[in-house]
Amino acid sequence: MKHSKNPGTTTQNGAPDGKDAGHSGHSTHLDQSEQHQHDEHGNGGDQHSGHQHSEHGSGGHQLNGHQAADHSHSHSHSHSHSHSHAPDNKKGLLIALIITGGIMFLEFFGGLVTGSLALLSDSGHMLSDTASLALSLVAMIIAAKPPSSKNSYGFFRFEIMAALFNGVTLFVIAGFIMWEAYQRFFSPPAVASGTMMLIAAVGLLANLISAWSLMRKSEAKDNINIRSAYLHIMGDALGSVGALIAGLIMNLFSWYVADPIISVLVALLILRSAWGVIRQAFHILMEGTPLTVNIRDVQETLLGIEGVIDVHDLHIWTITSGLDALSGHLLIGDYTDHQQVLQQALKIVEDKFGIHHTTLQIENSSLKHRELPV
């Protein structure tokens, strides 16, 4: 790690000038002579999508109307996060994949034998689920690959893209079910309801076991990739419940139109779940502010630090589920201790907002840089 010998140099852990901070979680650098000395990280460095740090001497606006004389600014990179995908996530997905694949074949052939659209549509749904679970498993394996010089964030985003794909496939399946139901609505065929109910019961039990394995062994609540797979399985479970209800109605009343009606209701429930996954995945890919963080609260909290005059160019985004990042500029008083402000800001962001991957640029009145587009 290389530090400037300049008297104004600051390091993340408050080490004296010219000394190695010895803190693997953070790195900072200070520029007082129009040159940057960047810390080198083992993961290939940091790279923020859609965000650039301003370079000195580039012209543009003057901060708070101060004239440029001498200047000091420091960057801090906080990398103390510990983000890894536990083997249990993979185990839960693998169990669900095996169960779902087996029930898919059972319901497909059962639908052919009984003539039930509910079973056939659910088997089609489970075919997509099998592929989606496999994709989620592959995405988790790829996301575990270490960062490189070409991909400084690694492959975490692959999980988000897999979740988006899974959400879209749920929409396609629901549309297919509703189209088939429409065609059968006016002339519903006879269905072997007894056999249909037996197969649906087996499918429901298998789906519940799969959902349980994901909830118990994985991060279905916090990981959008796992959650999209979980929603696929719960969609299957709803399909099995629908098939059971339709089978019971047809068995008691020989009312075969119940089959397409129940199928449509299940499809609507699938659409509702799919929309939530698609919306969240799209929000992450668009570098949206995490839903759990209010950017105004962050800004006001940083402004509350003694010596901080202004907070600007503040960005907060999600790299992947459970890994948020923050970058911003803090304008401080000319005689304010850079290191003290920096340490306090990093601690507040981590403790209050749970963001460990933080990059802050410290500025005073002597620094000017062009206005950033975002």
Side-chain angles (χ1 to χ4, degrees), residues 188-241:
V191 176
S193 56
T195 306
M196 168 188 171
M197 292 173 64
L198 177 62
I199 296 174
V202 174
L204 176 60
L205 178 63
N207 287 323
L208 292 178
I209 294 174
S210 297
W212 176 82
S213 70
L214 281 182
M215 288 296 294
R216 182 176 175 83
K217 300 180 180 296
S218 305
E219 303 168 329
K221 291 183 178 180
D222 301 323
N223 188 301
I224 187 175
N225 182 38
I226 299 294
R227 187 157 67 89
S228 68
Y230 173 78
L231 288 176
H232 268 273
I233 292 174
M234 291 309 296
D236 287 336
L238 287 173
S240 297
V241 170

Side-chain angles (χ1 to χ4, degrees), residues 70-311:
D70 61 346
H71 62 273
S72 63
H73 96 264
S74 64
H75 294 271
S76 166
H77 299 274
S78 168
H79 303 283
S80 61
H81 63 77
S82 176
H83 183 82
S84 61
H85 296 286
D88 282 346
N89 278 345
K90 298 177 184 176
K91 184 176 180 180
L93 275 175
L94 184 60
I95 293 173
L97 175 62
I98 293 173
I99 294 174
T100 303
I103 299 303
M104 173 193 70
F105 286 107
L106 175 65
E107 289 198 343
F108 175 73
F109 290 110
L112 292 178
V113 171
T114 62
S116 169
L117 173 62
L119 280 180
L120 285 174
S121 62
D122 197 39
S123 69
H125 185 196
M126 295 189 82
L127 172 61
S128 171
D129 287 354
T130 302
S132 297
L133 288 169
L135 177 62
S136 295
L137 186 60
V138 171
M140 187 167 293
I141 294 172
I142 292 177
K145 293 177 62 177
S148 66
S149 58
K150 291 184 178 180
N151 297 281
S152 61
Y153 274 146
F155 295 84
F156 288 127
R157 280 289 171 86
F158 196 86
E159 287 189 283
I160 307 302
M161 290 188 289
L164 180 62
F165 177 81
N166 283 342
V168 171
T169 58
L170 283 170
F171 257 74
V172 174
I173 290 167
F176 172 77
I177 294 173
M178 294 175 73
W179 173 251
E180 286 295 318
Y182 172 76
Q183 292 183 321
R184 290 196 176 197
F185 185 78
F186 298 103
S187 57
V191 176
S193 56
T195 306
M196 168 188 171
M197 292 173 64
L198 177 62
I199 296 174
V202 174
L204 176 60
L205 178 63
N207 287 323
L208 292 178
I209 294 174
S210 297
W212 176 82
S213 70
L214 281 182
M215 288 296 294
R216 182 176 175 83
K217 300 180 180 296
S218 305
E219 303 168 329
K221 291 183 178 180
D222 301 323
N223 188 301
I224 187 175
N225 182 38
I226 299 294
R227 187 157 67 89
S228 68
Y230 173 78
L231 288 176
H232 268 273
I233 292 174
M234 291 309 296
D236 287 336
L238 287 173
S240 297
V241 170
L244 277 171
I245 295 174
L248 181 62
I249 292 174
M250 290 183 289
N251 189 46
L252 293 177
F253 307 104
S254 297
W255 192 47
Y256 296 109
V257 76
D259 190 39
I261 290 177
I262 295 295
S263 299
V264 169
L265 293 177
V266 170
L268 291 175
L269 291 173
I270 292 171
L271 284 175
R272 184 175 181 274
S273 300
W275 174 244
V277 171
I278 291 175
R279 183 174 58 183
Q280 184 180 357
F282 187 75
H283 184 74
I284 292 174
L285 292 175
M286 289 297 294
E287 306 287 358
T289 304
L291 300 178
T292 56
V293 178
N294 187 316
I295 195 167
R296 293 189 181 276
D297 289 345
V298 177
Q299 189 171 28
E300 291 176 2
T301 300
L302 292 174
L303 281 171
I305 298 175
E306 184 177 357
V308 175
I309 300 172
D310 184 37
V311 177

Side-chain angles (χ1 to χ4, degrees), residues 313-337:
D313 297 320
L314 182 62
H315 299 280
I316 308 173
W317 68 101
T318 299
I319 298 172
T320 191
S321 298
L323 179 54
D324 297 331
L326 178 149
S327 68
H329 297 190
L330 302 183
L331 177 65
I332 65 174
D334 290 345
Y335 301 102
T336 302
D337 188 333

